[in-house]
Amino acid sequence: MSENKFCPKCGNKLEANVKSCPSCGFLLSEIKESSSYSLQKTSSTAPLSTQYGIEKSNNQIESNNSIKNVSKPVIFTDLKQRNIYRRVPLSICTADIYALRWMCKLTDESSILAGKRLFPSNKKILLYMVISLGFYYWYWAYKMGEIIHLAKTRRGMSTEGNKYGTLFAILGTGPLMFSIGLSLIQSKFNYLIRYDTYNKNLNEILSSYKSSF
C-alpha cells in the first residue's frame, strides 16, 4: 500500500509518480535537488572540519613539543679543572716559562670548549710570543674572551658578548702579571668545566632512572 503524497506548497493530494502538482504547478524535483544538495554539503564539510581539527591539534602538539625541546643543550667534555693557586707560584718562580706551557694547554682546551679552533698550533704561538717579545699575548687574551663567549653561547648560557677579552689583556701586562691573566682565564674555563660535569652527571642520573622502569 503506497503512502499518500501531498504538495508541500498548496497541500493538494498528489497521485503516485507525478512530477508536479496539478493544482499549483510546484515541481517535486526541486525537493529532491535541494535535499540532495544539503546532504552533499553536509558530507563535504564534515570531513574538512574534522581534518581541520586534526591538523589544528597536530600543530598544537608540535608547537608544544617544540617549546619543550627548546632547552639548553647538553655538552659533555672530559676536561679537568686546574688548581690556579698552584700554577701561579710556579709561573712566577720559573720566570713565566711554566706560564707559556700553561698558555699552550689553555689553547688546546679552548677549541674543545668552544667547538672550534681560533688559534694556530702551539709551536706557532710560542714563536709569535718570542718574536713579539710577549706582546702577542694581548691578541691571544682578547681572543680567549671571544672563545669564552662562544662556549657560553654553545651551552645556551646568557652572555653579553666578548666582555672579558680586554680585561684579560690588560691584567696580563707585565712579567708577573702574565700569570694573573692566565689565572683569570683558567677560572672561566673551570666554570665551564663544572657546568659540563654537572650536565653529564645529571644525564647519567636521568638515564638510570628511566632504565629502572
Side-chain angles (χ1 to χ4, degrees):
M1 182 176 181
S2 61
E3 297 180 357
N4 295 328
K5 296 182 179 181
F6 297 91
C7 177
K9 185 175 182 180
C10 64
N12 185 33
K13 186 177 180 180
L14 303 176
E15 297 180 358
N17 299 328
V18 294
K19 296 182 180 181
S20 62
C21 178
S23 177
C24 64
F26 181 77
L27 296 176
L28 300 177
S29 59
E30 294 181 358
I31 301 176
K32 296 180 180 180
E33 291 177 357
S34 61
S35 60
S36 62
Y37 174 75
S38 61
L39 290 174
Q40 291 177 359
K41 185 177 180 181
T42 305
S43 61
S44 61
T45 55
L48 290 176
S49 61
T50 305
Q51 183 179 2
Y52 174 75
I54 294 173
E55 292 178 353
K56 185 176 181 180
S57 61
N58 291 334
N59 292 333
Q60 290 178 352
I61 293 173
E62 291 177 358
S63 62
N64 292 333
N65 291 334
S66 63
I67 293 174
K68 293 179 181 179
N69 292 330
V70 175
S71 59
K72 295 181 179 180
V74 179
I75 300 175
F76 303 148
T77 56
D78 296 330
L79 301 177
K80 295 182 180 180
Q81 303 182 57
R82 286 193 178 91
N83 190 347
I84 299 174
Y85 301 103
R86 182 186 302 174
R87 283 165 173 77
V88 171
L90 286 174
S91 300
I92 296 175
C93 294
T94 58
D96 289 337
I97 295 177
Y98 182 82
L100 292 174
R101 182 177 178 272
W102 188 8
M103 180 180 179
C104 293
K105 289 290 185 180
L106 290 175
T107 303
D108 294 334
E109 294 178 354
S110 66
S111 60
I112 300 174
L113 293 174
K116 61 189 299 186
R117 188 175 181 90
L118 299 179
F119 293 105
S121 62
N122 290 330
K123 293 181 179 180
K124 290 185 178 180
I125 289 178
L126 294 176
L127 180 62
Y128 296 157
M129 288 288 291
V130 173
I131 294 175
S132 63
L133 300 178
F135 291 103
Y136 178 78
Y137 169 80
W138 291 346
Y139 171 79
W140 180 86
Y142 184 81
K143 296 295 289 186
M144 273 296 173
E146 182 179 347
I147 285 176
I148 292 174
H149 165 66
L150 291 176
K152 287 186 175 181
T153 304
R154 187 184 177 202
R155 286 156 180 79
M157 303 166 64
S158 60
T159 179
E160 298 178 357
N162 185 2
K163 61 179 181 180
Y164 298 110
T166 305
L167 179 64
F168 296 155
I170 293 175
L171 294 180
T173 305
L176 298 179
M177 298 295 289
F178 181 40
S179 58
I180 297 178
L182 292 178
S183 63
L184 292 176
I185 297 173
Q186 184 66 63
S187 64
K188 299 299 180 182
F189 277 31
N190 290 343
Y191 173 76
L192 294 172
I193 294 171
R194 287 195 301 269
Y195 183 85
D196 294 345
T197 304
Y198 171 78
N199 285 336
K200 183 178 181 180
N201 295 335
L202 181 61
N203 185 73
E204 291 176 354
I205 294 172
L206 293 176
S207 299
S208 60
Y209 177 77
K210 291 179 181 178
S211 62
S212 62
F213 289 95

